[in-house]
Amino acid sequence: MAFFQANASHLVGGYITYECLGNNQYEIKMRVYRDSVNGNPPYDAIAEVWVFDGTGVLNQTLNIPKGPTNLVPFDTSDCTSIPPNIYIQVVDYIDTVTLPPAAGGYTLTYQSCCRNKIIDNVTNPTSLGSTYTTNIPANDTSCNSSPAFMDNPPIVLC
């Protein structure tokens, strides 16, 4: 297994989901949010998502290409004052993988460094990374799909 270190201070959040397409095929979708003002290195052109079997052994590495980068809109209707310079970008990485039913299922994982530097409730956020994980259940013969968020998270809370 290879690990790569990215030096940045930009990640706001993200997640991985999967949709069963039938015939042991799964569409894997990873969504990553970043602060596009406070530290703005490029997104990974190819995201490495690791697929582990139920015993923790690396089964395969998915090299998922980056989709388009978009600005996340936010609702400020409840705000009396809007903080300046808040721009959050989002990008999706989408690929299809074949994973036959397995006794221990599968764990899909992506890791990247680092969090955006303006986080107040985390000590040294620029030295901490993010890990996004999802699990495909053991012996998935009923073609399960993971829960998925329908909307982007709130960017500004007033």
Side-chain angles (χ1 to χ4, degrees):
M1 174 176 2
F3 291 94
F4 299 93
Q5 180 177 345
N7 294 310
S9 60
H10 63 288
L11 295 182
V12 176
Y15 56 86
I16 299 175
T17 60
Y18 62 89
E19 180 180 350
C20 181
L21 304 175
N23 297 319
N24 302 326
Q25 296 278 306
Y26 294 88
E27 180 183 79
I28 308 303
K29 177 180 177 181
M30 181 175 68
R31 177 164 279 187
V32 179
Y33 297 93
R34 77 173 180 181
D35 178 344
S36 63
V37 175
N38 297 290
N40 192 7
Y43 277 107
D44 294 334
I46 303 290
E48 287 191 357
V49 174
W50 302 309
V51 180
F52 297 95
D53 68 16
T55 64
V57 173
L58 183 64
N59 178 283
Q60 62 182 295
T61 300
L62 306 176
N63 293 304
I64 306 177
K66 177 189 152 307
T69 301
N70 295 300
L71 193 62
V72 177
F74 59 93
D75 180 14
T76 59
S77 61
D78 293 335
C79 297
T80 56
S81 66
I82 301 167
N85 298 325
I86 295 180
Y87 300 99
I88 303 298
Q89 294 176 326
V90 62
V91 70
D92 291 329
Y93 295 84
I94 301 173
D95 200 4
T96 301
V97 62
T98 301
L99 296 171
Y106 299 95
T107 299
L108 286 70
T109 302
Y110 170 79
Q111 290 184 323
S112 186
C113 181
C114 291
R115 300 302 306 258
N116 58 326
K117 63 185 173 185
I118 62 170
I119 296 175
D120 290 335
N121 62 346
V122 175
T123 304
N124 297 321
T126 58
S127 64
L128 299 174
S130 295
T131 301
Y132 310 134
T133 299
T134 191
N135 295 298
I136 296 175
N139 297 315
D140 184 21
T141 56
S142 59
C143 201
N144 282 295
S145 295
S146 68
F149 295 100
M150 300 305 292
D151 297 313
N152 288 309
I155 303 303
V156 176
L157 298 175
C158 302

